[in-house]
Amino acid sequence: AFWGWNDIWLDPAFRAWNIEALLPQINCPLLAIQGVDDEYGTMAQIDNIATQTPQAHLLKLERCGHSPHRDQAEAVIEAVRTFVVSTP
């Protein structure tokens, strides 16, 4: 399993892989959560989601890395609860 994952990420063809063009096709409510200290992502990624999907709700967690559900479980659970309850 590791080598399958590793080989994909290191394949030169993967550098061009991008699904941003599909974002405008999302037409349902969306909650995007990312840690500010994510070592594998940037806030530009989550900001782009918000730009291309106006119905997106963002949660940027301070002092949080790549695994918000582990780093800040209570904040994630509360955000999901609030999102689900308030989404028609």
Side-chain angles (χ1 to χ4, degrees):
F2 172 79
W3 291 114
W5 170 84
N6 182 68
D7 291 345
I8 291 169
W9 283 95
L10 296 178
D11 188 314
F14 187 72
R15 291 181 189 201
W17 182 80
N18 189 312
I19 60 171
E20 290 178 43
L22 301 174
L23 288 172
Q25 296 178 31
I26 298 172
N27 57 18
C28 63
L30 172 71
L31 175 61
I33 302 172
Q34 186 165 340
V36 171
D37 301 318
D38 186 337
E39 57 273 33
Y40 302 107
T42 69
M43 289 298 106
Q45 292 169 307
I46 198 168
D47 291 336
N48 192 36
I49 290 170
T51 299
Q52 295 196 50
T53 56
Q55 73 282 12
H57 300 271
L58 302 186
L59 176 59
K60 299 177 180 182
L61 293 170
E62 298 287 335
R63 296 176 308 281
C64 181
H66 189 65
S67 303
H69 64 289
R70 290 185 183 178
D71 294 350
Q72 294 200 24
E74 292 173 13
V76 170
I77 290 168
E78 180 58 25
V80 171
R81 187 196 67 75
T82 300
F83 177 75
V84 169
V85 168
S86 66
T87 302

